[in-house]
Amino acid sequence: VDAAAEAAARDRNGQLTKPPGALGRLEDLAIWYAGWRGNARPALERPQVIVFAGNHGVTARGVSAFPAEVTVQMVANFRAGGAAINQLSKAFGAEMSVHELDLDRPTADFSVGPAMSEAEVVAALATGWAAVNPEADLLVVGEMGIGNTTAAAAIACALFGGQPGEWTGRGTGVDDHGLSIKTQVVAEGLAANPDRDPLEVLRCLGGREIAAMAGAIACAHARRIPVILDGFICSAAAATLALSAEGAIDHCVAGHASAEAAHRALLSKLGKQPLLELGLRLGEGSGAALAIGVLKGAIACHSGMATFAEAGVSDS
Amino acid sequence: VDAAAEAAARDRNGQLTKPPGALGRLEDLAIWYAGWRGNARPALERPQVIVFAGNHGVTARGVSAFPAEVTVQMVANFRAGGAAINQLSKAFGAEMSVHELDLDRPTADFSVGPAMSEAEVVAALATGWAAVNPEADLLVVGEMGIGNTTAAAAIACALFGGQPGEWTGRGTGVDDHGLSIKTQVVAEGLAANPDRDPLEVLRCLGGREIAAMAGAIACAHARRIPVILDGFICSAAAATLALSAEGAIDHCVAGHASAEAAHRALLSKLGKQPLLELGLRLGEGSGAALAIGVLKGAIACHSGMATFAEAGVSDS
């Protein structure tokens, strides 16, 4: 963070034509964004949305309400412009791209051993890193991968402890029977992969699209591109970074709290307060993309408003 | 509401390429909007933001942290494009206008008698009604009026009962002493104006800008233009309509819950769940304008997404 830009932004905020604090969290957001961009009066003009897609060997265990073929079908839908994230990216002026990661070669079933080899996880991290547009001034990473709430639950449980049932939810909509299988699979995965080093957790319990999200978020940190986190899966990817290095996700805000049961608990572990709580549970980056509007509004106010002196308004 | 359009929109929503309910409140919002617009696949293209400004005799009692001159100074700031609402209107593509209502002739001090005559409240309602652009497809009404959280607290207390202290908050930021004066003024106003007919409450305890907001909201109902409600003062204006006629604010959603203490309670009385909760307490229509983004996102998804059949995606 550029401390001088952040301080200058804070000073500017205090002079704008409004009672102190009257824009609530928008004020903190704008100051945070200014610090990361190194500009006390920044603009938000080039948001980027990247959707990563991966397949999961664990789907063979019956953890999802949808068949694994839906991953590749939805990738085609993203390319054709028909998914929710296409509409949201367009609505908020974001450049959007889709990266599928070896869809014909699902990860290994993590309930019996590591999901990925070291070479595989490194390749996925690198795909994520390379997907970030260096010219972007805001990043949203989303995902598509039938079975990936199971992987995210296993990651969260491995990183933060607790019982598998506390982290396992209904995903796209499994019934009670499906939920009990899913919880059992998470428990087996934790037993089969005992290493709790955060990046080992990512390799053993994650998936290619989850690793790619982590790679993109890490790249954004290096390039000082602020990130809006999406839902449970995105937050699990971010958590592997957060536990790997101090401050690794300070450039991230939580776009929303999803309806996936454990997302709120995960955000709380990450110290992030969601911007939106509208019951979304779609993934694709949809909740984060919706929050681009909030950030745009915050920055528009911060950088566009007149000061008391400029407007000739009494400040008390 | 156009029940056929609403039903067709609900049917369409069920066919879109997402698990059922995965877009959460965005789905309900889009269906609601479709019903009011009479179009199962609507667009949101012409949002309108109107800011009404009025002055309040009750400011002489010391109820605000800012002097009454700030109302006219802020109107100049709106016209010059320097206020928060200017930036938010621009960010979300809304046409914005400002209407000042007899700023050099404040309402009478309601703590001793009616704030307005019948002619005055009717003129203000008519100003609001006439300000709505018939071509708009979404309306946000905001306000500027030093002293108007005091008026809104008195309205809410008159309409819904309870103690003045439950409805009176810090507004732009009064200290404890100011808050006790404000609460006392609300109590005196309720005693001096005993009629509890909703429109009499508006006349006796409201202000010109509050009546204008009510007039604009009523006009939008007649024209089937959906409305996003802003904060405490806007909600108090809407409440006078809600209690006057069944369904009078069914075309309204609550844009946000403001930091003004009693706003959440007021929304609860109106049966409205806020879209955003970001601690705003600025007025001007700012919270509602920010929520335009949420509605835009909802409608973009609803009307732009492919169906399972169109995209060739397995729906289970």
Side-chain angles (χ1 to χ4, degrees):
Chain A
V1 186
D2 181 332
E6 192 177 80
R10 195 176 302 280
D11 182 58
R12 174 174 169 76
N13 177 61
Q15 299 175 42
L16 300 175
T17 44
K18 57 177 180 54
L23 282 172
R25 289 187 67 192
L26 298 193
E27 300 185 14
D28 301 326
L29 271 178
I31 293 165
W32 162 84
Y33 185 84
W36 279 96
R37 298 305 291 163
N39 181 346
R41 202 171 170 175
L44 197 178
E45 289 169 336
R46 300 198 59 175
Q48 181 185 18
V49 173
I50 315 175
V51 182
F52 298 104
N55 272 322
H56 295 258
V58 78
T59 53
R61 298 288 307 274
V63 294
S64 179
F66 286 80
E69 304 87 79
V70 166
T71 304
V72 71
Q73 292 168 350
M74 281 300 296
V75 166
N77 196 24
F78 296 139
R79 293 212 189 283
I85 191 61
N86 298 94
Q87 320 316 318
L88 293 169
S89 296
K90 197 170 151 194
F92 295 106
E95 156 197 339
M96 181 194 146
S97 56
V98 186
H99 294 259
E100 60 257 57
L101 292 101
D102 297 323
L103 293 188
D104 53 353
R105 210 159 52 85
T107 54
D109 177 354
F110 71 63
S111 67
V112 294
M116 291 176 276
S117 67
E118 289 201 8
E120 287 172 328
V121 74
V122 166
L125 283 161
T127 296
W129 186 288
V132 177
N133 179 350
E135 301 300 315
D137 52 22
L138 180 69
L139 178 67
V140 163
V141 287
E143 44 54 50
M144 179 69 221
I146 296 299
N148 65 10
T149 54
T150 308
I155 290 171
C157 194
L159 296 178
F160 298 110
Q163 295 303 312
E166 294 166 36
W167 295 104
T168 309
R170 293 183 187 274
T172 52
V174 291
D175 59 15
D176 288 350
H177 178 63
L179 184 60
S180 75
I181 293 174
K182 198 169 163 179
T183 307
Q184 173 64 24
V185 166
V186 169
E188 290 173 22
L190 289 166
N193 299 281
D195 195 331
R196 295 295 174 257
D197 170 80
L199 294 181
E200 272 295 280
V201 167
L202 178 64
R203 177 178 80 84
C204 297
L205 299 169
R208 290 190 181 84
E209 82 283 31
I210 298 176
M213 295 173 99
I217 293 169
C219 176
H221 188 276
R223 296 194 187 280
R224 292 191 173 180
I225 300 171
V227 171
I228 306 180
L229 299 177
D230 191 38
F232 187 56
I233 299 143
C234 179
S235 301
T240 65
L241 300 174
L243 270 63
S244 299
E246 177 94 21
I249 63 166
D250 284 355
H251 65 311
C252 302
V253 290
H256 75 133
S258 97
E260 177 69 5
H263 188 219
R264 206 173 297 267
L266 183 50
L267 289 179
S268 168
K269 293 285 187 190
L270 297 174
K272 303 287 185 193
Q273 194 189 347
L275 291 171
L276 301 172
E277 304 194 34
L278 294 166
L280 277 69
R281 52 177 172 80
L282 179 60
E284 303 181 1
S286 55
L290 193 62
I292 294 174
V294 175
L295 200 50
K296 278 198 167 187
I299 294 161
C301 287
H302 177 85
S303 296
M305 284 175 71
T307 62
F308 281 107
E310 286 164 358
V313 174
S314 309
D315 65 356
S316 67
Chain B
V1 186
D2 180 332
E6 193 176 80
R10 196 176 301 280
D11 183 57
R12 172 173 171 76
N13 177 60
Q15 299 174 40
L16 300 176
T17 44
K18 58 175 180 53
L23 282 172
R25 290 188 66 193
L26 297 193
E27 300 185 13
D28 301 326
L29 270 178
I31 293 165
W32 162 84
Y33 186 84
W36 279 96
R37 298 304 292 163
N39 181 347
R41 202 171 171 175
L44 196 178
E45 289 169 335
R46 299 197 59 176
Q48 181 184 19
V49 172
I50 316 176
V51 181
F52 298 104
N55 271 321
H56 294 259
V58 77
T59 53
R61 297 288 307 273
V63 295
S64 178
F66 287 79
E69 303 88 78
V70 165
T71 303
V72 70
Q73 292 168 350
M74 281 300 296
V75 166
N77 196 24
F78 296 139
R79 293 212 189 284
I85 191 61
N86 298 94
Q87 321 315 317
L88 293 168
S89 296
K90 196 170 153 194
F92 295 106
E95 156 196 341
M96 180 193 147
S97 56
V98 186
H99 294 259
E100 60 256 59
L101 293 101
D102 297 324
L103 294 188
D104 52 352
R105 211 160 50 87
T107 55
D109 177 354
F110 71 63
S111 67
V112 294
M116 291 176 276
S117 67
E118 289 200 8
E120 286 172 329
V121 74
V122 167
L125 283 160
T127 296
W129 186 288
V132 176
N133 179 351
E135 301 300 315
D137 51 23
L138 179 68
L139 179 65
V140 164
V141 287
E143 44 56 48
M144 178 70 221
I146 296 298
N148 66 8
T149 55
T150 308
I155 289 171
C157 193
L159 296 178
F160 298 109
Q163 295 303 310
E166 295 165 35
W167 295 104
T168 309
R170 293 185 186 272
T172 51
V174 291
D175 59 16
D176 288 350
H177 178 64
L179 183 60
S180 75
I181 293 174
K182 199 168 162 178
T183 307
Q184 173 63 23
V185 166
V186 169
E188 290 174 22
L190 290 165
N193 299 281
D195 195 331
R196 296 294 175 260
D197 172 80
L199 294 181
E200 273 295 279
V201 166
L202 178 64
R203 177 178 80 83
C204 296
L205 298 168
R208 290 189 182 85
E209 82 283 31
I210 297 175
M213 294 172 100
I217 294 168
C219 175
H221 188 277
R223 297 193 185 282
R224 293 190 173 180
I225 301 171
V227 171
I228 306 180
L229 299 177
D230 191 40
F232 186 57
I233 299 144
C234 179
S235 301
T240 65
L241 299 173
L243 271 63
S244 298
E246 178 93 22
I249 62 166
D250 285 354
H251 65 310
C252 302
V253 290
H256 76 132
S258 98
E260 178 69 5
H263 187 219
R264 205 172 297 267
L266 183 50
L267 289 178
S268 169
K269 292 286 186 189
L270 297 174
K272 303 287 184 193
Q273 194 189 347
L275 291 171
L276 302 172
E277 305 193 34
L278 294 166
L280 276 69
R281 52 177 171 79
L282 179 60
E284 303 180 2
S286 54
L290 194 63
I292 293 173
V294 175
L295 200 50
K296 278 197 164 184
I299 294 161
C301 288
H302 177 85
S303 296
M305 284 174 72
T307 63
F308 282 106
E310 286 165 357
V313 174
S314 309
D315 66 355
S316 68

